[in-house]
Amino acid sequence: MSQFDKDRFPDNYQRVVGMAASSMLHKNSEELVEILKNHRVLDSNSTVFELGSGPARNLHYIYETFKNKKLYCSDLFREASLRFMSSTMRDTVTFIEGDSQHVIDNKMVHSVDLFLVSDHFMHLQYEKADYIIKKILSHWKPKYIMLREIKKEFETPDHPRLYHNYDQFLSDYEKIEEKTSDQVDAYFIWLLKRKQ
């Protein structure tokens, strides 16, 4: 039977996705930042929120590039995430502990410039991810959304890496970048901009 949430990702998982992660995961973070730079999405005043961030490795690279101080993230385990974060992120990021659906329902971050989801939706049940996507569209309404997720043809429901209906975002957003990840061709990256 497929496992989700804390059953699948205990707190010690944070070690393998934080700053001590494999070089491939660091390259994933750098790739996301390169896209943001190319499209001039962020500056030092931008507000960034990452859902399911783990120890905020992606935000570390965003901060190193843009020096923005309004960084927010969420994950299931605050203490474990902070332990495997860079010291820069520990001093900079506002960490929200909780299940992604709870975090989305309780919108603790306002006026988000970039809403980032990287390798996270794929670990959520179909209904939960669908609910969160709809709530992002109806309540969060960030200026930009960046996704890095598994492609449909590489979905593995038994070892849950699930593909979701991301086309829902295209009702309110336009794709300004779409590519296959340089590191692993099973993953796509989208950068979306809210329609005027």
Side-chain angles (χ1 to χ4, degrees), residues 6-156:
K6 289 183 178 180
D7 292 332
R8 182 166 180 209
F9 297 104
D11 62 353
N12 63 1
Y13 178 75
Q14 304 304 325
R15 180 179 55 78
V16 298
V17 294
M19 293 310 290
S22 69
S23 63
M24 185 187 75
L25 292 183
H26 284 275
K27 286 177 184 171
N28 288 346
S29 299
E30 291 168 349
E31 182 178 23
L32 298 178
V33 169
E34 230 11 74
I35 293 168
L36 294 171
K37 275 171 54 180
N38 291 342
H39 289 279
R40 299 180 181 175
V41 168
L42 300 178
D43 60 33
S44 59
N45 294 313
S46 300
T47 300
V48 181
F49 174 75
E50 183 174 7
L51 183 70
S53 66
R57 186 190 68 254
N58 293 322
L59 294 180
H60 170 86
Y61 283 94
I62 287 172
Y63 177 81
E64 289 293 303
T65 303
F66 301 102
K67 303 300 180 197
N68 42 334
K69 299 279 172 64
K70 294 183 280 190
L71 300 175
Y72 300 83
C73 66
S74 70
D75 212 285
L76 291 169
F77 298 102
R78 176 184 173 80
E79 291 309 315
S81 295
L82 292 173
R83 190 177 325 126
F84 297 106
M85 241 178 226
S86 68
S87 58
T88 303
M89 280 302 92
R90 278 194 293 273
D91 294 339
T92 307
V93 76
T94 299
F95 190 94
I96 302 164
E97 183 177 51
D99 172 82
S100 291
Q101 186 171 330
H102 175 78
V103 170
I104 289 297
D105 277 338
N106 290 284
K107 192 180 180 197
M108 298 171 219
V109 185
H110 301 280
S111 300
V112 173
D113 294 300
L114 176 68
F115 193 109
L116 174 61
V117 187
S118 178
D119 300 7
H120 178 63
F121 277 142
M122 68 179 185
H123 297 309
L124 302 181
Q125 301 93 322
Y126 293 116
E127 302 79 18
K128 185 183 233 176
D130 188 67
Y131 177 90
I132 290 170
I133 290 169
K134 285 177 168 56
K135 201 79 171 184
I136 292 167
L137 288 166
S138 64
H139 288 80
W140 283 69
K141 301 178 182 178
K143 290 180 187 172
Y144 294 90
I145 297 170
M146 180 173 247
L147 303 174
R148 182 187 185 280
E149 293 291 340
I150 197 86
K151 293 178 181 177
K152 174 66 176 167
E153 60 268 30
F154 293 96
E155 181 179 35
T156 55

